[in-house]
Amino acid sequence: MALAQAKLDAAEARLAALELPMGGWSAAARADALARLRAMGLPGKRDEYWRYTDPATLTSAMPSGAALFDAGDEAPLFDGIDRVKLVFVDGVFDAAQSDDPAAAGVEFLSVVKDIHWAQGLYGVLESRGQTPVERPLAALNTAAARDGVLIHVTGRAAKPVNLIYLHQNETSDAILHHVIKLDAGAEFTLLENGPAAARFNQVLEVEIGDGARFHHIRAQGRDHERRTVTHIFTRLGAESLFKSFTLTANGVLTRNEAVIELTGDDAKAHVAGAAVGDGDFHHDDTVFVTHAALRCESRQVFKKVLKNGAVGVFQGKILVKQGAQKTDGYQISQSLLLDEASQFLAKPELEIYADDVKCSHGSTSGAIDETALYYLRSRGVPLRQAQSLLVLAFLAEAIAEIEDEAIAEDIRLRLENWLARHES
Amino acid sequence: MLEIKNLHVKLEEDDKVILKGVNLTVEAGKVHAIMGPNGSGKSTLSYVLSGRDGYEVTDGSAALDGAELLEMEPEERAAAGLFLAFQYPVEIPGVGNMTFLRTAVNAQRKSRGEEEMSAGEFLKVVREKAKSLKIDAEMMKRPVNVGFSGGEKKRNEILQMAMLEPKMCILDETDSGLDVDAMKLVAEGVNALRSEGRGFLVITHYQRLLDHIKPDVVHIMADGRIVKTGGPELALEVENNGYAGILSEVL
């Protein structure tokens, strides 16, 4: 009882520190989310779903500060990609540094209107994603987000949209909520990169129409002390595709949740992540895939490289509903532990109510392959370079989930640079 | 070229002594063969020379053109011109064969202060050498040794040797697991590399490889030592009489 009360009190304390917006078309969805949050309370570390990741600094009324990262002379990510750039500084849109959003069909949550196409989507996928597992930080986001992008894709988008999240204030606390709707047959690529803020809470809701294709590549910024919680909620129509890849380098705490519902037949959802951490680094990938239609495919591919006491967490579930025959579900979570101080905690789950399905899962953690290392060195490859090659090889299966080769190469380069900075 | 003196080696993990005073000199331009029964220390010798972990040198030395090998890291030995063709080539998932080769070639060049090979130049050379070993483009694209047959793995070792152009080549049971045709192909690859400036140490159980790679000198190794040295006829003697006869004579 005391525990439950503490969670409710935490929610009230958090809400008291926030300025709750805003009228217009999203008001009803926000009120609904607020009511849900007040009933659930914020998560505590005794919650089963937060067993391996302490949510205290994500739920506290005020954020902990985070020093800014100096990227040196490294070129910004996605620099070579032809894209529409939209820059947020500590969670606030900065038109001066951005391309024209209107030209790319991007609207903003912060512009209050009475009627909007996103009404009926905003907070709806998030709300659906609260069962069977509660996600109070996502409800908080729906209730309190002050901005975010709203993108309605009706055909094949000419260019990717790149959301760039700059972090310039050491105590910023940003909440962004994006809604993307792909009509039947549409195709769209969303790129995201940057630390965003000292503390960042993000929700991305993606409704994917029949035959539509959605690609998502993001890189979470390198500020060592930043804290981030993200939720992706997506629902897939028939023969549609969802592909999401996340690179996480540094960050004292990151929790990335993906809640994926395959509701149309023959749809495919792939979610992947590569995380590299050195020292004070806690990275949690929590995925829930629901198969509710025929012949759908899902893949979860998560790889982590951990050193100097870094911690990796994976909680991945595949739920196959009754009638979701011919499901093909695949899940792999692996970590490469570069020393004995680092640890990886994995909780793979399958729950299957159909009898004609194929589901596989695997989870491993291990050290670098000494024999392969010796083989490379015996050919003249220096130790550090050989280690770096093997680490990239380990991450390759996750990076392979990126379809665009130029983007994949950019991601590989970031990893190489990170490895070079973290040699020892 | 390669000068091994009184080499004593034991396993790091336990006190098992494997090499008990190996003396061996391979001159430039010559092919030396080492034959010997299982457990005589042949593979250990090749691993110790190339710098594999797990062995402790308790006495002796091994020098390549006067440079002491045993104090170098494995990559330094490679840069100094030593190459070991593995008995069991290692599979490396996720690293493309072509990337691997190019990284190795350029790393060695860099450590010797030479200019790196451009992508175009590298491709041209590798294609030519791969062709003569019947290694197709598909094999070059695959991850290192992953899904390769036994013969493909050995051919891939010889390709690496051809690209790296080492001074001193050690072939550790390169004939094991090969059929006659594959062995011929591998032997042709090795013979193409024979030159005045290059030494070879060919480790094998059987005479048959030596039909294709003709040795100048044959050594018999037993119980951690070279117990007999002779010309090519020594290999034939092993083939006809087995090791037992020779060993009873020398031990």
Side-chain angles (χ1 to χ4, degrees), chain A residues 6 15 44 59 77 79 199 203 205 212 231 274 277 352 382-383 385 389 420:
Chain A
L15 287 166
T59 59
L77 189 65
D79 229 21
R199 182 166 70 179
V203 165
E205 291 177 295
H231 291 82
I352 302 173
L383 176 62
Q385 201 181 351
L389 260 180

Side-chain angles (χ1 to χ4, degrees), chain A residues 382-400:
Chain A
L383 176 62
R384 303 276 175 242
Q385 201 181 351
Q387 282 172 333
S388 176
L389 260 180
L390 293 177
V391 169
L392 286 171
F394 167 77
L395 296 171
E397 187 185 359
I399 298 169

Side-chain angles (χ1 to χ4, degrees), chain A residues 374-375 377 379 383 385, chain B residues 50 73 75 84 157 160:
Chain A
Y374 159 63
Y375 189 62
R377 295 175 78 191
R379 298 306 182 242
L383 176 62
Q385 201 181 351
Chain B
S50 71
E73 297 295 337
E75 56 268 35
L84 169 64
E157 293 291 291
Q160 292 167 35

